[in-house]
Amino acid sequence: MTTMSSALSPAPAATGARAGEHAHHLLERSRALVRPALAEAIARLHPWVGEIAAYSLGWCEPGGAPLAAPAGGKGLRQALAVLGAEAAGAPRSAGVTAAVAVELVHTFSLLHDDIMDGDPTRRGRPTVWKAYGTGPAVLAGDALFALAVETLAATPGTDIPSAVRHLSTALNDLVRGQADDLLFESRPWTGPEAVRPDEYRAMAEHKTGALLGCATALGAVLAGAPRETVAALDRAGRHLGVAFQVVDDLLGVWGDPAVTGKPVHADLLRGKKTFPVLAALGTPAARPLARLLNSAGPLDAADARRAAALIEDAGGREAATAEARRHIAAVDACLDGLPSTTGTTCTTRSTPRAHNPRSTAGTRSTDDLRALLDFLVRREM
Amino acid sequence: MTTMSSALSPAPAATGARAGEHAHHLLERSRALVRPALAEAIARLHPWVGEIAAYSLGWCEPGGAPLAAPAGGKGLRQALAVLGAEAAGAPRSAGVTAAVAVELVHTFSLLHDDIMDGDPTRRGRPTVWKAYGTGPAVLAGDALFALAVETLAATPGTDIPSAVRHLSTALNDLVRGQADDLLFESRPWTGPEAVRPDEYRAMAEHKTGALLGCATALGAVLAGAPRETVAALDRAGRHLGVAFQVVDDLLGVWGDPAVTGKPVHADLLRGKKTFPVLAALGTPAARPLARLLNSAGPLDAADARRAAALIEDAGGREAATAEARRHIAAVDACLDGLPSTTGTTCTTRSTPRAHNPRSTAGTRSTDDLRALLDFLVRREM
């Protein structure tokens, strides 16, 4: 678990603690709401593939024995789906369906990303390809992807074509972002072929933001919410994703390894094109940094320490902090437009009793969504 | 290219040659019809991912240089989609959309299967994971899968929910079949844990038949054809798949390696649970075969020769031939029901002029579909 407080100014301790409690409650409530439907979907898989899926969700050991303490993630995307649907005045069932689809896609993408990146561990456990082999990890990922599409397409009374389009757009963006991230590694630091900050933003929005945007908007899409509501929710998630990525970059250089769980300066040692470096290289003060990065061979630990200081001297840390703040403000701006447009025009044909335009449910849910997003971008990821 | 004629009685030479010419014409016509839409879909991908996709379709070298002679497959699935749609009286556009979606899914499944099976070559060229690396091969497969879903979901005037459900059912079946095929490898030859012929049939239907069934029926689904028409087309493709798989097994033991392109007795040497072996083991005459297969360690070439003879003695070759014939007859039976139900009730909302119930197009197209399927199951794969 990594915290944003080292990168961005933290909220006062008491407010922060209350906000944290509320956010954790929202995450827990969403997980409890979604878990039965998610388990039911996983149970439809081939038993062996289902076991691999359950392992990757942190529900069991390799072999299928249940874990004493479940080791899954916080369920951020499923919470965004549930709260996004509620904020749009959509019925709870639409939020749960969206949450299941998005959680399946997220799990699929972790499975395949860990193969692509060769990562041996995730959340302190062997990754799926390490525990079960590359072939089974590829296959289980494919199965989860297909199951996500099937889940959306099998929900009666919802706008299935729009939902499937929304999900497949997010998936295409995700692949696009992953491809750019891989290709950035072989691009030079300087010159006309260098990665520009706007290319970085597009990569981060695609790789991290697209699925968060999809999560936040999908319940509203399923329920036939107005186009502007869907667009605002989607944009909020996408800005959240870019903010996450930039803060991750900041923590990668200046974060406390004991808190981030990553080795110190790992991104610099790997030559990763992170935002602070790209922003620094765009300034005249960055000549010594450019010389250091362009020197032959990978950086050693002393080089990386020197690079971190040079990036800060050239304004890279400040620029990245400002960039993250801009995207956080954009998340807020997207949510600001929500209450007046929600709870009024969802056209879902199912469980209409769950949707009462005159209730305050839409507004309260927008507050919940805002509380979770605020907490996420200000406190911890 | 492998032929069925060594396994099943061939058609008389002259009839066979004419049927072959007609089938090749049908395949070529479908490829020409589908290619522009397929190229347009691939062009929507990230350029690097699009290049990997084009390589895997046999359109270019690694790096993107066009091939002098394209090295793609025959385009069986796209032809089934085009002819299946025509047989159901669906507009041509539905057939083309179905063909693009199915070809994308087929290409995705080859990409990922080659990783799972560790196969270094396909159609005489390095497989994608060999040419580009495992990570990019996983990513490109995912992109093709997402593009297939997007293609279906972006086609106005069609029954998108049914089409997406149909495709995701096929994909789930495909994963299920692939998982069973992998698990069969570690099951014993005899005893209560042995693979039963009905388990084999289900595996073959899922692994090979599901996508062929989806291909044959998907155009009709998009066009809103009657449920019975869709079911008959889907069943025809599924029986075709099981017939293919059983004949592949027959050729793996008794085929001419010069024709099949596979090393002699490769399946026996790998200990693969093929239909002829499973059928033979179910007979009282199979004791010596069971002893041989149950002996410690993998078979050598002499063992494999002896096993082939024992399988034939125990009736495995005959049983497999009968099994393939049964599925071929079932394909015919599925098509027999078609003409009277097609061309009358497609509810597609697009290009209605392409759909004329009083024309003979439906009947002629059923003849074309039958001609292609007949040729495929009787002559060559």
Side-chain angles (χ1 to χ4, degrees):
Chain A
M1 188 170 299
T2 61
T3 79
M4 273 204 179
S5 52
S6 57
L8 306 170
S9 55
T15 324
R18 270 200 309 278
E21 226 168 87
H22 185 49
H24 282 297
H25 161 73
L26 291 172
L27 287 165
E28 201 178 299
R29 175 166 76 82
S30 300
R31 282 198 304 270
L33 194 63
V34 174
R35 171 73 186 246
L38 188 57
E40 189 273 323
I42 297 291
R44 290 205 306 275
L45 290 171
H46 183 285
W48 180 53
V49 176
E51 180 205 305
I52 301 176
Y55 173 80
S56 67
L57 284 161
W59 296 352
C60 71
E61 302 280 11
L67 280 174
K74 287 185 295 303
L76 164 59
R77 285 154 196 83
Q78 50 189 292
L80 290 176
V82 167
L83 298 179
E86 289 178 356
R92 174 163 289 183
S93 60
V96 171
T97 299
V100 170
V102 163
E103 193 66 16
L104 293 171
V105 167
H106 176 56
T107 310
F108 136 75
S109 77
L110 295 183
L111 269 173
H112 282 190
D113 281 1
D114 285 339
I115 298 171
M116 287 180 233
D117 300 339
D119 286 332
T121 60
R122 174 173 291 279
R123 296 179 197 132
R125 309 163 76 214
T127 45
V128 172
W129 70 269
K130 266 285 176 190
Y132 287 89
T134 299
V138 170
L139 187 68
D142 294 345
L144 289 165
F145 191 168
L147 189 61
V149 174
E150 187 184 70
T151 299
L152 280 192
T155 312
T158 59
D159 184 353
I160 293 170
S162 294
V164 172
R165 273 195 294 273
H166 205 81
L167 187 75
S168 59
T169 299
L171 284 164
N172 282 321
D173 282 355
L174 206 136
V175 167
R176 194 171 281 274
Q178 178 74 8
D180 275 333
D181 199 29
L182 288 172
L183 289 176
F184 283 2
E185 287 180 16
S186 53
R187 301 259 298 268
W189 289 105
T190 51
E193 291 300 307
V195 178
R196 298 185 310 272
D198 63 302
E199 290 182 293
Y200 173 97
R201 275 182 208 105
M203 179 280 292
E205 182 189 322
H206 291 144
K207 189 181 152 117
T208 311
L211 195 56
L212 291 168
C214 179
T216 317
L218 191 58
V221 175
L222 276 167
R227 189 181 298 230
E228 304 73 40
T229 304
V230 168
L233 290 167
D234 188 70
R235 275 200 312 275
R238 285 176 180 256
H239 282 297
L240 176 69
V242 182
F244 271 14
Q245 195 66 55
V246 174
V247 171
D248 207 42
D249 289 355
L250 280 163
L251 295 173
V253 187
W254 296 283
D256 177 356
V259 179
T260 64
K262 284 200 222 172
V264 68
H265 295 155
D267 288 348
L268 284 170
L269 294 169
R270 280 179 58 198
K272 218 165 147 56
K273 306 290 184 303
T274 63
F275 194 89
V277 187
L278 300 179
L281 287 171
T283 66
R287 290 248 174 86
L289 175 64
R291 265 197 304 277
L292 177 62
L293 295 171
N294 284 330
S295 59
L299 304 188
D300 62 22
D303 291 336
R305 265 198 309 279
R306 209 177 130 232
L310 290 170
I311 295 164
E312 190 154 9
D313 290 349
R317 184 175 189 172
E318 200 179 329
T321 306
E323 177 76 16
R325 285 222 176 90
R326 257 196 304 280
H327 289 283
I328 290 167
V331 172
D332 279 340
C334 291
L335 297 186
D336 280 345
L338 275 183
S340 61
T341 57
T342 59
T344 52
T345 46
C346 274
T347 60
T348 177
R349 282 157 282 164
S350 73
T351 55
R353 70 185 160 67
H355 168 229
N356 178 1
R358 273 176 291 273
S359 83
T360 57
T363 312
R364 207 202 54 223
S365 300
T366 307
D367 290 345
D368 282 346
L369 179 61
R370 187 187 299 274
L372 179 63
L373 289 171
D374 271 11
F375 174 73
L376 289 169
V377 297
R378 298 232 152 73
R379 286 291 301 171
E380 65 177 348
M381 291 186 286
Chain B
M1 184 170 298
T2 60
T3 77
M4 274 204 180
S5 52
S6 57
L8 306 171
S9 54
T15 324
R18 271 201 307 279
E21 228 169 85
H22 185 50
H24 282 296
H25 161 75
L26 291 171
L27 287 165
E28 202 178 299
R29 175 165 78 80
S30 300
R31 282 198 305 269
L33 192 64
V34 174
R35 172 73 186 243
L38 188 58
E40 190 272 325
I42 296 292
R44 290 204 305 276
L45 291 171
H46 182 287
W48 179 52
V49 176
E51 180 205 306
I52 301 176
Y55 173 80
S56 68
L57 283 161
W59 296 353
C60 71
E61 302 279 10
L67 279 176
K74 287 185 297 301
L76 165 59
R77 284 154 197 83
Q78 51 190 291
L80 290 176
V82 167
L83 298 179
E86 289 178 356
R92 175 165 289 184
S93 60
V96 171
T97 299
V100 170
V102 163
E103 193 66 16
L104 292 171
V105 168
H106 177 56
T107 310
F108 136 74
S109 78
L110 295 183
L111 268 171
H112 282 190
D113 281 0
D114 285 340
I115 298 170
M116 287 179 232
D117 300 338
D119 285 333
T121 59
R122 173 173 293 278
R123 296 180 197 129
R125 309 164 77 214
T127 45
V128 171
W129 70 271
K130 266 283 175 190
Y132 288 88
T134 299
V138 170
L139 186 68
D142 294 346
L144 289 165
F145 191 168
L147 189 60
V149 174
E150 187 185 69
T151 299
L152 280 192
T155 312
T158 59
D159 184 352
I160 293 170
S162 294
V164 173
R165 274 195 292 274
H166 205 81
L167 187 73
S168 59
T169 299
L171 284 164
N172 282 323
D173 282 354
L174 207 135
V175 167
R176 195 171 280 274
Q178 179 74 8
D180 275 333
D181 200 27
L182 288 172
L183 289 177
F184 283 2
E185 287 180 16
S186 52
R187 302 259 300 267
W189 288 105
T190 51
E193 291 300 307
V195 177
R196 298 184 312 270
D198 62 302
E199 290 182 290
Y200 172 98
R201 274 181 209 107
M203 179 280 291
E205 183 188 321
H206 291 145
K207 187 180 155 121
T208 311
L211 194 56
L212 291 168
C214 179
T216 316
L218 191 58
V221 175
L222 276 167
R227 187 180 298 230
E228 304 73 40
T229 303
V230 168
L233 290 167
D234 187 71
R235 274 201 312 274
R238 286 177 178 254
H239 282 297
L240 177 69
V242 182
F244 271 15
Q245 195 64 56
V246 174
V247 171
D248 207 42
D249 288 355
L250 281 163
L251 295 172
V253 187
W254 295 283
D256 177 356
V259 179
T260 63
K262 285 201 222 168
V264 68
H265 295 152
D267 288 348
L268 285 170
L269 294 168
R270 281 178 58 198
K272 217 165 148 52
K273 306 289 185 302
T274 64
F275 194 88
V277 187
L278 300 180
L281 287 170
T283 67
R287 291 247 174 84
L289 175 65
R291 265 198 303 276
L292 177 61
L293 295 172
N294 283 332
S295 60
L299 303 189
D300 63 20
D303 290 338
R305 265 198 309 279
R306 207 175 133 233
L310 290 171
I311 295 163
E312 190 155 8
D313 290 350
R317 183 175 190 173
E318 199 178 332
T321 307
E323 178 76 16
R325 287 221 175 91
R326 257 196 304 281
H327 289 282
I328 291 167
V331 173
D332 280 340
C334 291
L335 297 185
D336 281 344
L338 276 182
S340 61
T341 57
T342 60
T344 52
T345 45
C346 275
T347 59
T348 178
R349 283 157 281 165
S350 72
T351 56
R353 68 183 161 68
H355 168 227
N356 177 359
R358 272 177 293 274
S359 82
T360 57
T363 312
R364 207 202 55 222
S365 300
T366 307
D367 290 345
D368 282 347
L369 179 61
R370 187 188 298 275
L372 179 63
L373 289 171
D374 271 9
F375 174 73
L376 289 169
V377 297
R378 297 234 153 72
R379 284 291 299 170
E380 65 179 348
M381 289 187 288

